[in-house]
Amino acid sequence: MYSFLFLAIPSILIFYIFSNRKYSSRKFIFPFIAALTISIIFTFIKFLFVSDVHNIRASVILHTLYLFRYTATPVIFFGALIFFLLKDDFEYKNEVFTVVLLTFYSVFLPFLTLRTGEKKSFFMMLINPLLFLSMIIIINYSILTIKKGVIENRRTLISIGSAASLLALFMPPFIQAIWYFNVNTILLIILSVISTACGIFMYAVKTNR
């Protein structure tokens, strides 16, 4: 029952590393080990010292903002770490960023899911991992869009890339909040399909450039 939850992101991670056309898989060994170590330590600390008990009010917005920390914090932390400390070219940094995020959520998302009261639900087992995968891919493509906008001095591309990144960060928390409060099943399905489709589309466009 938990197979997809535990294997979905790690499977994509392995595929992403070994299917990379520009960089050898050996270039991702150290980032993978570093991210895996950080994710295990972070998860262990959260398990021992940080409680998930909070007062959930009947508000999709408040619950979305509460869950937003699980998308924004790792992205900001790893993004700052990679883009400011690595001295490699921009595209390699972006690929490392994606590998690191996939590695982190391979550990952290199953842990987070198993700590919830609805850990056996179809949404948490199958849909949520897809939403996080899409988020990571959309951010990867959005960063490339921002880079292109900076190089070509096109503010429109910069704005689109920035907006897509921010929207990608909000989609998993927002969709989960809609599911949690059972707001609208049709809206839940539509947003889940759109989010997943956007991730697949952007990955296809990137690999076929």
Side-chain angles (χ1 to χ4, degrees):
M1 184 174 182
Y2 297 110
S3 298
F4 190 81
L5 174 66
F6 282 100
L7 297 177
I9 298 180
S11 298
I12 297 299
L13 170 63
I14 294 171
F15 173 79
Y16 194 87
I17 290 175
F18 286 97
S19 65
N20 196 291
R21 297 177 181 178
K22 189 170 183 179
Y23 302 103
S24 166
S25 57
R26 289 176 293 182
K27 293 279 288 182
F28 299 111
I29 292 176
F30 177 74
F32 166 74
I33 294 174
L36 184 63
T37 303
I38 292 173
S39 62
I40 291 173
I41 293 173
F42 179 83
T43 302
F44 189 68
I45 291 173
K46 181 168 177 56
F47 175 72
L48 291 179
F49 304 109
V50 182
S51 173
D52 277 331
V53 177
H54 66 289
N55 182 22
I56 302 178
R57 301 176 184 178
S59 169
V60 171
I61 294 176
L62 290 177
H63 196 49
T64 298
L65 293 175
Y66 173 80
L67 295 173
F68 182 64
R69 61 182 179 159
Y70 295 133
T71 58
T73 304
V75 168
I76 293 172
F77 172 75
F78 286 118
L81 204 64
I82 290 167
F83 285 95
F84 287 106
L85 293 183
L86 288 185
K87 300 186 182 301
D88 301 84
D89 64 87
F90 188 89
E91 286 197 26
Y92 174 68
K93 289 181 181 181
N94 195 25
E95 294 301 282
V96 168
F97 186 38
T98 301
V99 167
V100 164
L101 287 179
L102 288 170
T103 304
F104 176 79
Y105 284 113
S106 291
V107 176
F108 186 63
L109 188 60
F111 162 77
L112 205 58
T113 302
L114 293 177
R115 291 197 79 179
T116 66
E118 302 83 11
K119 57 180 177 288
K120 293 184 179 181
S121 69
F122 177 82
F123 178 87
M124 296 301 290
M125 288 291 101
L126 298 174
I127 305 301
N128 211 32
L130 290 177
L131 295 177
F132 274 83
L133 281 169
S134 295
M135 177 193 76
I136 295 170
I137 297 301
I138 292 170
I139 290 174
N140 174 280
Y141 188 79
S142 298
I143 291 173
L144 294 178
T145 302
I146 294 171
K147 176 198 170 188
K148 184 177 180 181
V150 171
I151 292 174
E152 299 178 1
N153 194 25
R154 296 169 62 183
R155 293 182 181 179
T156 303
L157 286 181
I158 297 173
S159 299
I160 291 173
S162 301
S165 295
L166 186 60
L167 188 60
L169 288 174
F170 268 106
M171 285 307 286
F174 180 62
I175 294 173
Q176 186 174 336
I178 289 175
W179 164 78
Y180 186 86
F181 289 108
N182 195 25
V183 174
N184 189 307
T185 303
I186 296 177
L187 178 62
L188 174 67
I189 294 172
I190 291 173
L191 290 179
S192 299
V193 170
I194 290 175
S195 180
T196 305
C198 284
I200 295 172
F201 174 75
M202 289 185 181
Y203 179 78
V205 170
K206 178 190 169 186
T207 53
N208 289 302
R209 285 190 308 169

